[in-house]
Amino acid sequence: DAKTTQPNSMESNEEEPVHLPCNHSTISGTDYIHWYRQLPSQGPEYVIHGLTSNVNNRMASLAIAEDRKSSTLILHRATLRDAAVYYCILRVDLRSNYQLIWGAGTKLIIKP
Amino acid sequence: KAGVTQTPRYLIKTRGQQVTLSCSPISGHRSVSWYQQTPGQGLQFLFEYFSETQRNKGNFPGRFSGRQFSNSRSEMNVSTLELGDSALYLCASSLRGQGANTGELFFGEGSRLTVL
């Protein structure tokens, strides 16, 4: 079964970069890696996704290992508003039944 | 542009009752997905509807059902409620669904169901 493993929590200082790791050793060739974050009392919010190559957008960067068994979400300069639970997710293709398989998430704590 | 709207936000039911939750997607979005979020199991996929048809389904019992209307609004129903159904139920809309490589789902704030 497709599965992701993340640290339960991480701490970082404000205005410093944050690297959030994710292991997905059972990933298959067609599985996309997605990241969402969930702020307190809100629904999840899309952050970034990728397949094989590293990806950048205005929110973050996604670095994908060459063997695709792990990835890292990079927040270049964390602010207090980035404090949230970050989910690493695999989008799997079960005979055209696409599902997002969510990890348990990493609670990111930002210290002022 | 209005976001995803879920109603009701909070509700309390007793075991054996049934419940219907509603989701209005972002205008123009044809896909609506439903998720259950609990502290123990995290976020789990329930089902996805696209243009009034159920396109994908997770591993939940038949007590969980849904439908989508011609205006893309969706409802999910849980019958014969159990204590373990207490959860935050999240709805997400997207332009082309979870199968599209563009990827982005837009979530509502959820409906928090408590079963006593």
Side-chain angles (χ1 to χ4, degrees):
Chain A
D1 280 353
K3 183 181 170 182
T4 61
T5 306
Q6 304 174 251
N8 286 336
S9 65
M10 290 183 63
E11 284 190 4
S12 181
N13 294 318
E14 195 176 11
E15 298 189 4
E16 289 186 356
V18 180
H19 290 233
L20 296 163
C22 180
N23 287 319
H24 27 77
S25 58
T26 60
I27 193 170
S28 70
T30 56
D31 293 346
Y32 276 74
I33 301 157
H34 290 235
W35 285 81
Y36 280 73
R37 70 181 186 181
Q38 188 171 22
L39 280 65
S41 301
Q42 293 189 26
E45 173 189 33
Y46 170 80
V47 178
I48 201 166
H49 77 287
L51 182 62
T52 56
S53 305
N54 294 344
V55 185
N56 300 296
N57 67 21
R58 61 175 180 80
M59 285 183 72
S61 294
L62 176 61
I64 301 172
E66 199 168 331
D67 63 5
R68 301 211 322 127
K69 292 184 185 300
S70 66
S71 61
T72 302
L73 178 71
I74 303 164
L75 306 179
H76 295 287
R77 199 161 161 268
T79 70
L80 295 177
R81 288 181 293 181
D82 291 321
V85 178
Y86 285 78
Y87 293 98
C88 175
I89 301 151
L90 295 184
R91 193 209 74 173
V92 301
D93 177 2
L94 304 172
R95 295 186 192 176
S96 296
N97 180 1
Y98 295 99
Q99 294 190 23
L100 297 182
I101 309 297
W102 295 64
T106 296
K107 183 175 183 178
L108 177 62
I109 299 164
I110 305 296
K111 296 181 289 185
Chain B
K1 193 173 183 181
V4 178
T5 305
Q6 292 189 245
T7 56
R9 291 291 314 280
Y10 302 92
L11 67 168
I12 299 173
K13 294 284 187 178
T14 56
R15 278 183 298 173
Q17 288 187 310
Q18 72 158 8
V19 67
T20 299
L21 309 177
S22 178
C23 172
S24 293
I26 291 171
S27 178
H29 284 192
R30 296 163 66 188
S31 166
V32 172
S33 300
W34 288 90
Y35 288 83
Q36 181 195 65
Q37 185 173 27
T38 59
Q41 298 296 319
L43 270 132
Q44 292 187 285
F45 171 69
L46 280 155
F47 28 66
E48 178 190 14
Y49 286 86
F50 186 89
S51 293
E52 301 179 66
T53 301
Q54 187 180 87
R55 195 155 72 170
N56 294 310
K57 191 176 188 306
N59 294 324
F60 276 81
R63 300 186 297 108
F64 293 81
S65 63
R67 59 179 176 168
Q68 187 179 32
F69 302 96
S70 58
N71 61 358
S72 293
R73 190 177 70 85
S74 177
E75 289 181 346
M76 69 161 281
N77 184 276
V78 187
S79 62
T80 320
L81 283 166
E82 301 176 359
L83 295 178
D85 296 333
S86 294
L88 180 67
Y89 290 87
L90 290 159
C91 162
S93 80
S94 66
L95 206 54
R96 290 186 280 166
Q98 296 185 155
N101 292 337
T102 50
E104 187 169 0
L105 301 180
F106 295 84
F107 282 84
E109 293 184 308
S111 294
R112 185 165 295 280
L113 170 65
T114 301
V115 181
L116 302 176

